[in-house]
Amino acid sequence: MRPHRLRLSAFGPFPGVVDVDLDQLSTAGLFLLHGPTGAGKTTLLDGMCFALYGRVPGARGVQRLRSDHASEEVPSSATLEFTASGRRLRVTRTPVFTRPKKRGTGVVEEKPTARLEELIGRDWRTLSTRPDEVGSELDCLLGMSAEQFWQVVLLPQGLFAQFLHAGAKERGALLETLFRTDRFRDAESWLGDRRSALRGRYDDAAAEARSLIDRVVEAAQVDEPAGDPDIDWYDEVLAAAQASVTATTSDAVAADAAAMATAERLRAAETLRDRQERRRDAEEAAAALTAAEPEIAAARAAVEAGRRAAPLLPLADHAERVAAALHAALSTADRLAAAVGAQPGDDLAALAGEARARIGRLEGLRATAARLAEADDRLRAADAALSTLDAQWAAVARERDALPARQATAAGRLASAQAAVTALPAARAESAHLDEVAADAAAAAALRTRLKAERRAEKQAREQSLAAREHRLAIAEALLAGQAARLATALVDGEPCAVCGAREHPAPAAASDLVEESALAEAEDRSERAADAHRQAAALLAATTAELATLDARVAGAGWADSAPLADARAAAAARVARLEAAAADLDSAEQAVAALDDADGALRDRLASIAAERAEIDGARAAAADVADEDRAALTEALAGAPDLDAALASTRAVADALDAAHRAAADAARLAHESEAESARVAEALAAAGFGSVADLRATADPALAERVAAHDAAAAALATTLGDPDLDVPLEPAADVASAGEADLLARAARDAARDAAAVATDRLRAVAGHGPALRQALAGLAPLRAELDEVEGLAELAAGRGSGNRLGMALSTFVLAARLEQVADLASQRLARMSDGRYTLRHTDARRDARRRGGLGLVVHDAWTGQSRDTDTLSGGETFMASLALALGLADTVTAEAGGAPIEALFVDEGFGTLDEDSLEEVMDVLDGLRAGGRVVGIVSHVADLRQRIPTQLRVHKGRSGSRLETVA
């Protein structure tokens, strides 16, 4: 791969278009990309990477590739023209960026684009405009990834020592990226996945077999087998289950016959017992009826007395209602009197009168309460006014406290305005001077443009003058030839020539087109006019050249040879004038502000005095109102006797008066009901005596309906019992009693034995069915475990070996690490060849398998061997310059190895983006010799650095200049 031309637009620090002709720079083989820090040297290499891969090295990313200095209408892009695989190609990419909308306001985000073209003959033919297709095509053409390109073509800044000092993990990650050894890691992963899959299959099969064995153990109720079970153990369990079914079935048949016999004996004993119990119950019932006859006779008499008592019950009920009303009236009177604190025997009417009199006294205090309320309102109003005045005082005080700072600000503003007025004339003069210089520079630029046109015009006039002169000479020659031809027509052999006198005419002029003398005159006139035009054009060119020299001298004499800094200085001067003019224009306003703040200070002092006077007046009025309120409040407090206010005292007093009136009325009602109850009680006593009853209780007892029901039930039971005793089925002796207990116990034992035998037979049958049901699956599961175990052991050994574990891997190195270690050994050998040259034969790099500690794996270690001491040591012990040389040698070794890994595809470019400032003069010379040797075979080598010594060593340079408006390029050959 060989780059030819790089073109960037609005990219990084470059606001416009920069065009880098790499073919021109590479004519010397080695060139220097030079410029100050931050100018954009690395950005040029980023542009090359972005064009090829759509990415840039390091952590910069592609989100900030657009130039911040570029105008909005200029698009960002990177174009690289290069040769790869014998084909001339051109790739153009644009990063994502935002631009103003073409219509309306706002911005729109431009998506990244890509275009790949190939030069066919003299025309560029588009191969693809899809970013993914462009990327795939370039991957095939270049034969390397972006990471490999950065390591092979670009030696990026900051990444040399990173690989040199990296740990095994980080170094392995980079080597995997460069050498694409992921297939070996894939092999490790495949073996691990295969082992996991086989382990899972084996564990699943073993678990299934164990599950089946557990089911057989549970079903057969046997002990688990010792060790790994086999099919013989299952056959033994199955035979035992079959024998158990035969034995339990025989036992169940015998138990059924015994249970049937005991059940028949139990039924006969239960039948006899039932007949005996029915006869015994009937005889006992007859005896009970006979014993109850006296009580039933008394009940019959009571039922008869109840018929006589029925008319007297309403009279007794009324007397009881009057007595209940009397009790209620007494309770109400006692409750109401107790509620107002009256004692038994108090005159309730007199107490009610005293309460009514207190109501009148309280009503007389209405005016006092109103006067107190008015005084309280005045006090609250005074307090509110005082609070308002206090807030106003605080606000005015804060405002007055803030005045000094405002006055200081205004004073500073006034001082700034006065200083601006003083500095403004000089600033205007400086700005005018810069404008004059800019005008001279602009005029010079215009003259340069005009000078190009005048040079073209002078050249054209000169060419036209020469052409007119040649035309005049041609006309003159033609005129002479015509005259000779006319003379030749008059020649006669043997007669003398009129011009030369010769008598022989061996070669007379041939006849040709005749030219008139007027044509010669016209040609001479045209020649003179062309010569005059040329003299005028030459004079105008000389005058313009002289004028341009004068303007350039004036601009250079002013110290502004470069237009970009001049524009910045003009802008800065104009901005300074604008700032000073704005500050000077604020002079009157600043003076007024200072005066206004002084006036505000006096006004605030007056306002504080006014607030203090108003507050004193309100304090006096408040004290007078407080005296009135205290006197009225004392009078009311004494009259209210603990009530919160006058209305509450009136309400409670009225409630007491009303309660005393109610209690007085309730006592009167109780006295009336007591007289009525006494009269009713006398009437009931007279009626009871006349009817033959001793008390109201005796009267109510005769009216009990349960007595009539009891007599009727006794008569019905006697009739039913007579029918039962006449039943022939009860004609059985009561002795001896039926022995149901013995028969039942025998039956229970027989049925328990039968159920146990049946259960044992069922359990044995279920066990046999379960054991036999698991047999096919268990046989199949046990048969499949052995081959799975053998395959798992084999794959597990290979996986452990590839992963760097196990006794067979003595290096403790994974397969991918082993391959990377071989690549690293190649890199170290190639790097050592260059490092030995750079270090005058002292240092070489060596690959080591040793581990830094027992917890880390070996295989990717690097040490530096010192030929002066014969010792190898860690790369971290190298000095800064030695680290640079070792890092550069290692990077070049990586580049050579990666190139070989990529199939030996020629890499005809190398860019070293790394600081050379750590090297002494001799070391720098050795390093430059090595880099100069890289040009063999036509390879172009670019060094990116700002070290001053390199500018003397490398004449071909691409310089980057930075400024406020962005960076620009300059090619120095």
Side-chain angles (χ1 to χ4, degrees):
M1 179 269 182
R2 183 183 184 88
H4 299 293
R5 182 178 294 275
L6 175 66
R7 185 177 185 272
L8 303 178
S9 173
F11 197 90
F14 302 106
V17 177
V18 294
D19 202 337
V20 181
D21 189 345
L22 295 171
D23 286 339
Q24 179 185 356
L25 292 171
S26 64
T27 54
L30 183 67
F31 73 91
L32 175 66
L33 179 55
H34 181 74
T37 301
K41 303 184 297 298
T42 303
T43 300
L44 296 175
L45 304 184
D46 286 348
M48 186 182 304
C49 293
F50 178 73
L52 289 173
Y53 295 99
R55 295 190 287 145
V56 295
R60 293 181 291 276
V62 298
Q63 300 300 319
R64 292 287 298 163
L65 293 182
R66 177 167 175 80
S67 175
D68 293 332
H69 303 286
S71 59
E72 295 176 343
E73 63 273 7
V74 178
S76 296
S77 65
T79 302
L80 179 66
E81 186 177 336
F82 63 98
T83 297
S85 301
R87 300 165 64 181
R88 187 69 171 253
L89 301 164
R90 183 170 67 190
V91 60
T92 301
R93 291 185 189 268
T94 64
V96 60
F97 66 94
T98 57
R99 62 166 178 79
K101 291 183 177 179
K102 296 181 179 178
R103 296 181 180 178
T105 60
V107 296
V108 63
E109 183 179 84
E110 292 288 352
K111 301 299 182 182
T113 65
R115 175 185 295 274
L116 181 62
E117 302 169 282
E118 183 176 4
L119 184 63
I120 307 297
R122 295 184 177 182
D123 299 325
W124 288 99
R125 187 181 70 185
T126 300
L127 300 180
S128 177
T129 58
R130 289 181 53 183
D132 54 345
E133 290 182 354
V134 170
S136 300
E137 184 70 18
L138 288 176
D139 286 344
C140 296
L141 289 169
L142 298 174
M144 64 183 73
S145 64
E147 290 76 9
Q148 290 176 321
F149 181 82
W150 298 337
Q151 194 66 48
V152 173
V153 179
L154 308 181
L155 303 185
Q157 189 179 64
L159 295 184
F160 288 6
Q162 178 179 340
F163 183 77
L164 180 67
H165 299 307
K169 182 178 180 180
E170 294 78 9
R171 189 172 290 151
L174 178 58
L175 291 173
E176 277 188 357
T177 302
L178 294 177
F179 296 110
R180 298 179 178 178
T181 58
D182 49 348
R183 60 187 181 276
F184 299 102
R185 187 170 294 280
D186 291 344
E188 295 175 22
S189 300
W190 183 88
L191 285 171
D193 294 343
R194 180 63 176 167
R195 174 179 58 185
S196 298
L198 284 173
R199 169 64 67 184
R201 287 175 55 194
Y202 178 79
D203 290 344
D204 290 344
E208 177 64 21
R210 175 54 61 184
S211 175
L212 290 170
I213 290 171
D214 291 342
R215 294 175 192 174
V216 171
V217 168
E218 182 180 2
Q221 292 296 300
V222 296
D223 294 334
E224 292 187 1
D228 294 332
D230 54 18
I231 202 62
D232 293 338
W233 170 84
Y234 169 74
D235 290 338
E236 293 175 359
V237 172
L238 180 62
Q242 291 172 340
S244 177
V245 168
T246 302
T248 55
T249 302
S250 177
D251 293 342
V253 172
D256 280 341
M260 290 175 62
T262 56
E264 183 61 29
R265 288 195 296 271
L266 176 61
R267 280 194 295 272
E270 288 175 345
T271 299
L272 177 60
R273 180 196 60 189
D274 291 343
R275 294 173 66 192
Q276 288 177 338
E277 287 179 351
R278 286 169 60 197
R279 180 176 179 83
R280 186 178 296 108
D281 291 342
E283 290 178 350
E284 290 175 355
L289 287 175
T290 300
E293 278 299 333
E295 185 180 353
I296 293 302
R300 292 182 193 277
V303 169
E304 180 61 29
R307 293 191 186 95
R308 298 193 310 272
L312 300 179
L313 288 175
L315 183 62
D317 291 341
H318 178 67
E320 289 179 353
R321 286 194 296 273
V322 172
L326 172 61
H327 178 73
L330 291 173
S331 297
T332 300
D334 292 341
R335 178 175 54 79
L336 292 174
V340 296
Q343 300 297 323
D346 288 347
D347 188 350
L348 298 178
L351 292 176
E354 292 177 1
R356 299 293 178 190
R358 186 169 183 271
I359 290 172
R361 291 194 300 273
L362 290 174
E363 287 289 352
L365 293 175
R366 288 286 186 186
T368 301
R371 189 168 59 251
L372 176 59
E374 182 179 356
D376 287 340
D377 290 341
R378 289 198 301 272
L379 287 174
R380 284 191 293 271
D383 290 339
L386 290 174
S387 177
T388 301
L389 288 176
D390 289 342
Q392 292 176 357
W393 176 281
V396 173
R398 285 195 301 272
E399 186 175 357
R400 192 161 182 266
D401 291 341
L403 268 181
R406 295 175 60 192
Q407 288 173 326
T409 301
R413 177 182 166 195
L414 178 59
S416 298
Q418 292 171 342
V421 171
T422 302
L424 186 57
R428 283 174 174 165
E430 175 66 15
S431 180
H433 170 67
L434 291 175
D435 288 342
E436 290 175 359
V437 175
D440 288 344
L447 282 179
R448 287 189 182 88
T449 302
R450 196 174 83 189
L451 190 62
K452 292 179 181 179
E454 289 178 357
R455 282 174 179 164
R456 290 194 298 269
E458 187 274 337
K459 179 181 179 182
Q460 184 179 4
R462 184 173 66 251
E463 291 174 349
Q464 289 177 350
S465 176
L466 292 174
R469 181 181 177 187
E470 291 176 355
H471 178 66
R472 178 177 62 79
L473 292 176
I475 292 296
E477 290 177 359
L479 181 60
L480 289 176
Q483 291 175 349
R486 283 194 296 271
L487 290 174
T489 58
L491 291 177
V492 178
D493 290 338
E495 294 183 2
C497 174
V499 177
C500 65
R503 294 182 178 276
E504 295 181 358
H505 315 292
S512 61
D513 294 336
L514 298 179
V515 177
E516 300 295 334
E517 290 186 1
S518 60
L520 178 60
E522 181 180 355
E524 289 176 345
D525 183 56
R526 287 177 58 191
S527 178
E528 285 297 328
R529 291 198 305 272
D532 290 342
H534 176 241
R535 285 192 293 272
Q536 293 175 3
L540 181 60
L541 177 61
T544 303
T545 302
E547 184 180 0
L548 177 60
T550 300
L551 289 174
D552 285 341
R554 280 159 50 185
V555 172
W560 298 100
D562 195 340
S563 61
L566 174 60
D568 294 341
R570 282 188 66 207
R576 183 168 182 265
V577 169
R579 289 195 302 271
L580 291 174
E581 288 176 344
D586 192 41
L587 180 61
D588 293 340
S589 176
E591 290 175 344
Q592 293 172 4
V594 170
L597 288 173
D598 291 339
D599 295 341
D601 188 26
L604 290 174
R605 286 197 300 270
D606 294 343
R607 178 59 179 151
L608 288 175
S610 174
I611 292 173
E614 187 176 356
R615 196 181 195 290
E617 181 180 354
I618 294 174
D619 278 338
R622 186 186 186 286
D627 292 340
V628 174
D630 291 343
E631 183 178 352
D632 290 343
R633 186 173 288 106
L636 279 174
T637 300
E638 182 180 0
L640 294 180
D645 54 34
L646 184 59
D647 290 336
L650 283 168
S652 63
T653 304
R654 287 192 181 99
V656 169
D658 292 343
L660 288 171
D661 287 340
H664 177 65
R665 289 193 298 271
D669 290 342
R672 177 180 54 80
L673 289 173
H675 179 69
E676 184 179 352
S677 177
E678 185 178 357
E680 289 298 325
S681 296
R683 289 177 58 197
V684 170
E686 183 180 355
L688 288 176
F693 293 100
S695 65
V696 175
D698 294 340
L699 176 65
R700 294 190 182 280
T702 59
D704 187 1
L707 292 175
E709 293 176 359
R710 184 178 179 188
V711 171
H714 179 273
D715 294 341
L721 184 58
T723 303
T724 299
L725 289 174
D727 186 0
D729 193 47
L730 297 185
D731 187 13
V732 293
L734 297 178
E735 294 297 337
D739 192 1
V740 176
S742 297
E745 184 177 356
D747 181 63
L748 286 175
L749 293 175
R751 283 191 289 116
R754 179 200 61 192
D755 294 341
R758 288 179 177 178
D759 291 342
V763 168
T765 301
D766 291 341
R767 287 178 180 174
L768 176 60
R769 186 181 298 111
V771 170
H774 295 315
L778 179 58
R779 294 177 188 277
Q780 182 178 359
L782 292 175
L785 277 179
L788 271 178
R789 177 74 260 179
E791 186 177 3
L792 174 60
D793 291 342
E794 180 182 6
V795 173
E796 194 164 38
L798 290 174
E800 288 293 298
L801 182 66
R805 295 186 294 267
S807 58
N809 194 327
R810 60 180 181 81
L811 294 177
M813 194 184 303
L815 174 62
S816 56
T817 306
F818 180 80
V819 175
L820 292 178
R823 293 288 188 270
L824 183 58
E825 189 171 2
Q826 297 173 6
V827 171
D829 291 342
L830 293 172
S832 293
Q833 298 174 15
R834 292 190 172 92
L835 180 57
R837 289 183 56 192
M838 294 181 194
S839 61
D840 196 18
R842 179 179 181 181
Y843 293 121
T844 54
L845 289 171
R846 292 184 179 179
H847 162 254
T848 176
D849 294 332
R851 308 183 187 184
R852 289 192 175 184
D853 56 61
R855 294 173 297 175
R856 300 182 182 179
R857 295 182 180 179
L860 298 179
L862 279 176
V863 295
V864 61
H865 181 72
D866 190 342
W868 291 3
T869 64
Q871 300 295 321
S872 295
R873 50 193 171 95
D874 195 276
T875 55
D876 292 340
T877 62
L878 294 173
S879 66
E882 292 169 343
T883 295
F884 171 73
M885 290 190 295
S887 301
L888 178 58
L890 188 59
L892 295 175
L894 278 171
D896 292 342
T897 309
V898 170
T899 301
E901 179 75 9
I907 303 299
E908 302 178 59
L910 177 67
F911 298 90
V912 183
D913 186 4
E914 182 65 40
F916 288 76
T918 58
L919 301 176
D920 56 43
E921 184 176 356
D922 293 338
S923 298
L924 180 60
E925 188 67 33
E926 297 292 344
V927 171
M928 292 303 299
D929 288 344
V930 172
L931 293 176
D932 192 60
L934 295 175
R935 295 183 298 165
R939 176 189 284 179
V940 55
V941 179
I943 295 177
V944 184
S945 178
H946 58 268
V947 175
D949 289 347
L950 293 178
R951 283 184 287 176
Q952 306 300 325
R953 297 173 179 271
I954 306 175
T956 303
Q957 301 174 14
L958 181 62
R959 296 180 180 174
V960 186
H961 302 277
K962 68 177 181 179
R964 293 185 178 181
S965 57
S967 299
R968 60 186 180 86
L969 295 180
E970 177 188 7
T971 302
V972 179

